[in-house]
Each structure stands twice: as structure tokens, then as C-alpha cells.
Amino acid sequence: MQLKTFNVYDNQNKAVQDAFDMLTAKIHINNSQKKLKTFALTSCRPGEGKTSLAISLAISIAHSGWRVLLVDGDMRKPTASKRLSKETQMGLADYLAGKIEFSEAVSETNITNLFYFACGTDCLNPVELLCSARFQELINKARSRYDFVLFDTPALEIVADANIIASNVEATLIVVEAGSTSLVNIKRVKEQLENLNANILGVVLNKVKKHEYKRYFSSYNYFHKKNGFFKNLLKKKKTYSRVENVAAKENAAKL
Ligand SMILES: Nc1ncnc2c1ncn2[C@@H]1O[C@H](COP(=O)(O)OP(=O)(O)OP(=O)(O)O)[C@@H](O)[C@H]1O
Ligand SMILES: [Mg+2]
């Protein structure tokens, strides 16, 4: 294991934490019989919130006492733009290229039970690497060592990487930016994933406007008033993730 310990920002906002706890709970409920361990988080377009969701979901699951490995499967982004590893860090690309072993690629984090597998360095051929036997090996090793393995991926409409990851893991969550991604786009990526035999677990509606969030959760203030959170509601332009139709393959099928 790499000696480096990553500091992961644990969001202290109660409403945001609640949304992720709810998503974690839904995954657990859905998972009680299926025992799915490997998940991909993807979206139609860039910037819909995959990385933010992957980090927050991983934290929430780790807080529940499960060992979680968060894998940065977006090998195309320069390391400098990464949320967790701004400096060069060996990881996925290096492991897949056979330069390092699994245990060397995994880093500890400041959050108990949360481990991080960086995207790695200088990756010129992500598709080739993801199609290799070494990727299968990685999934098998991660499966046997962790309770949950979350793959953050690039957007589906940009490159093939997320399609390959989604077709190799047990379940895929599609992150959708509220009020931005069209139904046509969602339907297209749904068909795209289904053609690859990916198991779509559900859709997470992200960046929901505060007033809409409150419309869905009418007792929202009940929990937060005491902590002074109510004051924050007056600030403009805050958005929260909201869990939408997780574990609802049936709903996804209606798209
Ligand atoms: N629920 C949210 N509310 C407000 N802003 C958000 C939310 N989720 C993500 N963001 C913001 O949206 C931007 C994009 O988020 P993020 O990097 O997680 O998206 P992404 O889908 O991983 O992007 P990319 O496809 O480029 O990897 C960031 O500035 C992030 O802070
Ligand atoms: Mg990202």
C-alpha cells in the first residue's frame, strides 16, 4: 500500500449527508440479496457530478462500517485537475500497464474504511488497458478485498471507457444533472449500456435546486432548524443531490 494518506473532504452539510445516506441505504436494501460489490458511476455528459457523487457515496458507505475502494477510472484527466490526487500518483493506468502491483496502487485515506486507487500516470491508451485481462484481474482482486468497489468514470458520450467499465462491474449508477440532461440523451445511454449487458441499478438526480428538493421532502426543515441549518436555506443557488429511483431498473426500463 502506498504510504500516502489522502485527505478526503467529508461534507458536514446535514442535508447533503442525508441525501447520500439515503442513497447508501437504498443500495443496501436493494443489495441485501444480490450482494453486488462492484459499481460504476457514470453520466451522459461531462460535469454532471460523477466524481462528487463517487467520493460522497464512498464516504457514506465507509461511515456505515464497510470497507470501500474508490477507483478513479477517469484516466484521461490530467492529474493536476483531480479532486483527491493533485500530484502524480501511481494508480490504475500503471497497474493495468503492469508497472505496479495492486497493493502498491491502493492508498489509505483519512476516513476509516475508505481506500483510494488513483487514476495513475501518463495514460495514452485507456481503452486498450481497460480491455486487458489485467482489468479483469483488478476487479477480481478488489472484489475479494473490499465490501464495495466504486469506479468513477468519464462521461459516456465522450469516450468508450465508461462503457467498458460498466460492462465489467456488477451495477451502474447513472448520474443525471437536474434540468440539464435531456431524456433523449438518457434514453440513448441507457440503450448503449444495455447493449453492453451493463446492469443499470438506477439514476441519481444531481444538482437539484433547493426549492425543488424541499418540494419532495416536505419535512426537510424539521431536521435542520435546530442546527441553524434553516439559515442556510436563505442563501441562493445551493443545490443538493437527491436520490432518484435507485434500484429502479423497472423505472429505467420505462425511459
Ligand atoms: N450536487 C451538486 N451541487 C452543486 N454542485 C455540484 C454538485 N455535484 C457536483 N457539483 C459541481 O459540479 C462540477 C462538476 O462535478 P464533478 O467533477 O463531480 O462532475 P463529473 O461528472 O465528475 O465531471 P467530469 O465528467 O468532468 O469528470 C464541480 O464543480 C462540482 O463541485
Ligand atoms: Mg469526474
Side-chain angles (χ1 to χ4, degrees):
M1 186 174 298
Q2 293 183 44
L3 288 176
K4 193 161 176 57
T5 298
F6 283 101
N7 271 316
V8 180
Y9 173 65
D10 197 352
N11 201 319
Q12 296 301 315
N13 185 314
K14 194 73 180 72
V16 176
Q17 279 178 359
D18 284 350
F20 286 112
D21 288 348
M22 222 181 300
L23 179 56
T24 303
K26 291 200 175 192
I27 289 173
H28 277 302
I29 293 163
N30 181 258
N31 220 8
S32 58
Q33 280 161 7
K34 294 182 195 151
K35 305 286 177 222
L36 306 174
K37 279 188 162 191
T38 53
F39 296 79
L41 289 107
T42 192
S43 66
C44 304
R45 298 174 302 115
E48 298 199 62
K50 300 173 289 298
T51 302
S52 310
L53 181 79
I55 296 171
S56 299
L57 183 59
I59 293 173
S60 178
I61 297 174
H63 281 332
S64 313
W66 302 94
R67 276 167 61 81
V68 188
L69 180 66
L70 174 60
V71 183
D72 184 349
D74 189 347
M75 293 183 274
R76 299 186 186 252
K77 273 221 174 98
T79 315
S81 70
K82 294 287 175 185
R83 202 79 59 85
L84 299 185
S85 56
K86 302 242 179 285
E87 55 200 70
T88 308
Q89 167 82 13
M90 300 283 259
L92 186 59
D94 308 281
Y95 173 80
L96 295 178
K99 292 184 201 161
I100 53 170
E101 289 311 310
F102 186 93
S103 56
E104 294 174 273
V106 176
S107 301
E108 288 182 337
T109 71
N110 56 319
I111 294 178
T112 312
N113 291 322
L114 177 57
F115 300 85
Y116 180 60
F117 206 109
C119 64
T121 53
D122 298 334
C123 183
L124 300 173
N125 51 350
V127 169
E128 205 177 294
L129 291 177
L130 289 169
C131 289
S132 68
R134 196 107 166 130
F135 185 54
Q136 296 291 332
E137 215 177 87
L138 178 141
I139 292 184
N140 292 340
K141 283 196 172 137
R143 250 195 137 269
S144 65
R145 295 174 197 196
Y146 298 90
D147 298 311
F148 286 90
V149 185
L150 306 185
F151 284 88
D152 180 20
T153 71
L156 286 159
E157 288 184 348
I158 305 294
V159 286
D161 310 17
N163 291 287
I164 305 169
I165 297 175
S167 63
N168 278 286
V169 295
E170 291 153 293
T172 297
L173 282 170
I174 303 176
V175 183
V176 169
E177 182 173 345
S180 165
T181 313
S182 73
L183 199 55
V184 174
N185 280 5
I186 303 171
K187 275 183 183 169
R188 192 167 50 233
V189 300
K190 177 185 165 275
E191 280 162 21
Q192 196 177 314
L193 287 171
E194 282 173 350
N195 287 339
L196 293 164
N197 289 328
N199 172 26
I200 303 171
L201 189 64
V203 170
V204 178
L205 194 58
N206 194 30
K207 302 194 188 183
V208 176
K209 295 279 177 295
K210 197 188 302 164
H211 62 274
E212 285 166 10
Y213 185 85
K214 286 173 73 182
R215 230 172 2 112
Y216 286 103
F217 292 95
S218 52
S219 52
Y220 173 81
N221 290 340
Y222 176 83
F223 297 104
H224 307 295
K225 242 177 177 172
K226 255 196 212 162
N227 301 333
F229 185 78
F230 187 63
K231 285 182 207 150
N232 294 339
L233 298 177
L234 300 173
K235 287 183 195 158
K236 281 184 182 166
K237 285 189 178 169
K238 285 235 168 177
T239 54
Y240 300 107
S241 297
R242 184 169 66 81
V243 180
E244 173 95 331
N245 290 344
V246 171
K249 225 179 158 188
E250 314 85 71
N251 287 357
K254 283 183 208 154
L255 289 173

